[in-house]
Amino acid sequence: MPVTSLHPLYKKMESDWDIMAEALDGEDAVKANPNRLRKTEGMMEAERVSQDNAYIYKSYLHRAEYPHWVKDGLRTMMGLVSRLTPEIVLPERMESMLENATADGFGLVQLFQRTVAASLGYGRNVLLVDVDDNQLPFVAVYGAKDATNWKESLVDGRKDLTLTVLQELKSKSSDEFSHESETVYRVLDLEDGIYRARVVNSAGADVDEEKRPGMYGANGELVRGLDYIPIVFSGSTDNSPDPDEIPLLSMAKSALKYYELSADYYQALHRTAHPQPWVSGLSEDQSLRVTGPSAAWALPQDAQCGYLEITGNGIEKIKSAMDTQRSSALESGAKVMDVGGIESGDARRARQDDQQATLHTVVMTAAEAVEQCLRFAAQFMDIDPDEVKFAVKPDFVVADVDPQMAAQLLQAVMAGKVSNESYWTYIGTGKLPERSWEDEFLMIDNAGGI
């Protein structure tokens, strides 16, 4: 089979990934895809009569509204994630990765946030650990659709990844101002149990030299290669290579249905506001080409005129269906959305807790993925992987500070009964630190931390 072959699960997920890509790009991307809003039979028949009638569908498309629920939902969730502070432990030789961890020069915190965003939007993010020309490790980030094929096999009785194919864009012009590119494929596999990386074109021909990362001797021979592929598939529920469910997909599909309904809704409103005038009783050489509030018709005797208007009986039903899709988007648990109704505090909290449960899982898998990348990087540098740590506590509860409690704590601090650190922890988080009285007493006695 050719290198362009697609994994069966990739084929299954591809249409959903396309829906998400358009949703995150916004209304212009959705409207650029004619399959998202098809022409009616009447529009197609009008265009068969004359291509001048193409304006009918263009007006229909222009009036349709695609809501940016997915973009807004993702932005809201990432606002919560941005408040989290990862716990990062790196050996001295790896400290540069704190601020420069990715191929495009971003640090570990931004790598984590990008991984969370990709998992929320696509259910998947692909992280490949490699080394640069100075033999320093970095993480190359690939999107959900970039990993086109993968294979797992039994290695020493365990299921391990033995093949991954990543598609990339490679510049095909020497012109510094040109953006011409071609698709190439980075093939990562195990040959005789040793990891190798190749870059080939769609025909399978090499376009770059083969790489075998590992420990090399003085004369350039490979002393110890890697017996695994240093790649992590970060998902929304786990970090296996198979694609996970997309947390925001339900919202995106509701937005698409709303978009279709809105086209009919605004078309109906337009026709209600602009009735079609008609005239009868004119001779063949007479015509009326001007209508509007500033024009008056002089009709011959026995001529008649009027307006053809739609009753608009179905408009409210369309609007009701649009409201249903809006409610479905809200219930998908992607973001807190004001739908114009009255919602109790308990209902709002329950809905937010449901959303945060999904976000909780994504944050945990993303943090584990980044930590695994750091463990791979440590092995590249012959460092004990247990020396690295990247952990995030997914606590999204907004600080709820009781002013009376804060005042009492301040008095206790001044009386020497509570430490300054406990007071400021409560002010910042709304929670008292979890520690014994003995530990608290030591902090009171040693307030400067000396």
Side-chain angles (χ1 to χ4, degrees):
M1 297 181 70
V3 70
T4 55
S5 301
L6 301 177
H7 193 284
L9 290 178
Y10 184 98
K11 296 178 183 178
K12 180 181 177 181
M13 295 294 298
E14 190 172 15
S15 61
D16 288 343
W17 287 332
D18 288 340
I19 289 174
M20 294 307 304
E22 292 172 5
L24 292 170
D25 282 345
E27 185 176 80
D28 289 343
V30 175
K31 289 189 173 183
N33 185 346
N35 293 323
R36 302 298 183 213
L37 185 63
R38 298 183 180 275
K39 299 174 182 178
T40 65
E41 289 292 334
M43 294 174 186
M44 290 189 288
E45 180 61 30
E47 290 185 19
R48 280 193 287 268
V49 173
S50 172
Q51 280 300 309
D52 291 341
N53 293 325
Y55 78 91
I56 300 175
Y57 174 72
K58 291 180 180 178
S59 299
Y60 181 69
L61 179 67
H62 175 74
R63 281 189 285 268
E65 176 190 10
Y66 181 81
H68 287 168
W69 297 335
V70 176
K71 293 180 70 172
D72 293 343
L74 181 60
R75 184 170 59 249
T76 298
M77 286 188 169
M78 291 310 299
L80 294 173
V81 173
S82 67
R83 298 175 183 174
L84 303 178
T85 303
E87 180 184 356
I88 306 173
V89 178
L90 295 176
E92 184 177 354
R93 289 170 55 199
M94 294 180 62
E95 286 182 350
S96 61
M97 294 190 71
L98 187 62
E99 301 296 335
N100 188 15
T102 68
D104 50 354
F106 289 95
L108 289 175
V109 174
Q110 289 207 31
L111 172 62
F112 163 71
Q113 293 175 352
R114 290 164 67 179
T115 301
V116 171
S119 296
L120 287 171
Y122 297 95
R124 186 190 213 192
N125 200 36
V126 185
L127 309 175
L128 172 65
V129 181
D130 203 348
V131 293
D132 60 20
D133 294 339
N134 297 317
Q135 298 304 303
L136 294 176
F138 66 89
V139 181
V141 182
Y142 292 83
K145 291 188 69 175
D146 293 333
T148 57
N149 203 357
W150 60 95
K151 185 180 294 185
E152 293 178 296
S153 305
L154 288 177
V155 179
D156 297 331
R158 293 175 177 267
K159 184 186 285 189
D160 282 338
L161 193 66
T162 56
L163 170 71
T164 303
V165 179
L166 303 169
Q167 64 179 5
E168 305 175 359
L169 291 178
K170 181 180 177 66
S171 176
K172 58 184 298 186
S173 174
S174 58
D175 185 349
E176 65 175 317
F177 302 110
S178 173
H179 297 281
E180 258 190 292
S181 60
E182 63 176 334
T183 300
V184 297
Y185 298 86
R186 188 173 296 272
V187 181
L188 316 173
D189 61 5
L190 299 179
E191 184 182 51
D192 298 328
I194 302 300
Y195 167 57
R196 66 171 179 170
R198 297 170 291 149
V199 180
V200 301
N201 58 22
S202 57
D206 292 337
V207 297
D208 204 348
E209 63 180 32
E210 180 181 300
K211 293 176 61 177
R212 292 176 180 263
M215 302 296 293
Y216 283 82
N219 57 357
E221 81 279 7
L222 182 65
V223 176
R224 187 180 72 215
L226 302 179
D227 58 359
Y228 59 87
I229 300 176
I231 194 169
V232 181
F233 289 80
S234 181
S236 61
T237 57
D238 59 42
N239 290 338
S240 72
D242 294 343
D244 287 340
E245 64 180 22
I246 303 172
L248 296 179
L249 181 60
S250 295
M251 176 172 280
K253 288 186 173 181
S254 292
L256 273 180
K257 180 58 67 174
Y258 182 99
Y259 170 61
E260 295 171 357
L261 291 167
S262 74
D264 292 333
Y265 176 71
Y266 290 115
Q267 180 87 330
L269 288 182
H270 177 77
R271 289 176 175 174
T272 302
H274 299 276
Q276 174 64 46
W278 63 268
V279 177
S280 66
L282 296 180
S283 60
E284 293 184 2
D285 61 344
Q286 291 179 305
S287 64
L288 296 173
R289 298 182 179 275
V290 180
T291 63
S294 59
W297 293 342
L299 302 179
Q301 188 175 1
D302 297 328
Q304 293 181 313
C305 66
Y307 283 98
L308 293 175
E309 301 181 78
I310 65 172
T311 61
N313 291 335
I315 293 180
E316 285 303 316
K317 291 184 178 180
I318 298 176
K319 184 64 169 63
S320 176
M322 292 167 65
D323 291 340
T324 299
Q325 294 305 318
R326 187 190 294 266
S327 297
S328 296
L330 173 65
E331 293 166 5
S332 70
K335 96 176 199 32
V336 177
M337 184 181 301
D338 182 10
V339 294
I342 299 176
E343 185 175 33
S344 70
D346 289 342
R348 180 179 295 274
R349 182 176 295 277
R351 175 161 53 80
Q352 291 175 341
D353 287 346
D354 176 67
Q355 294 164 11
Q356 292 167 2
T358 302
L359 190 57
H360 180 283
T361 305
V362 172
V363 166
M364 293 298 291
T365 56
E368 290 169 4
V370 173
E371 184 176 70
Q372 184 59 58
C373 287
L374 291 174
R375 294 176 69 87
F376 286 153
Q379 291 175 315
F380 275 34
M381 303 179 73
D382 201 23
I383 297 174
D384 183 359
D386 291 336
E387 292 186 31
V388 305
K389 181 179 182 180
F390 188 97
V392 179
K393 184 178 180 181
D395 187 358
F396 302 109
V397 178
V398 178
D400 185 11
V401 178
D402 182 351
Q404 186 175 357
M405 178 66 172
Q408 292 175 349
L409 282 174
L410 180 58
Q411 292 177 1
V413 170
M414 297 174 66
K417 303 296 184 182
V418 174
S419 67
N420 289 330
E421 195 272 344
S422 293
Y423 173 72
W424 288 112
T425 297
Y426 180 77
I427 292 296
T429 67
K431 296 180 179 180
L432 288 171
E434 298 178 4
R435 54 173 165 258
S436 66
W437 162 245
E438 289 81 3
D439 291 339
E440 180 72 10
F441 181 78
L442 289 175
M443 298 195 72
I444 297 172
D445 194 47
N446 189 21
I450 300 174

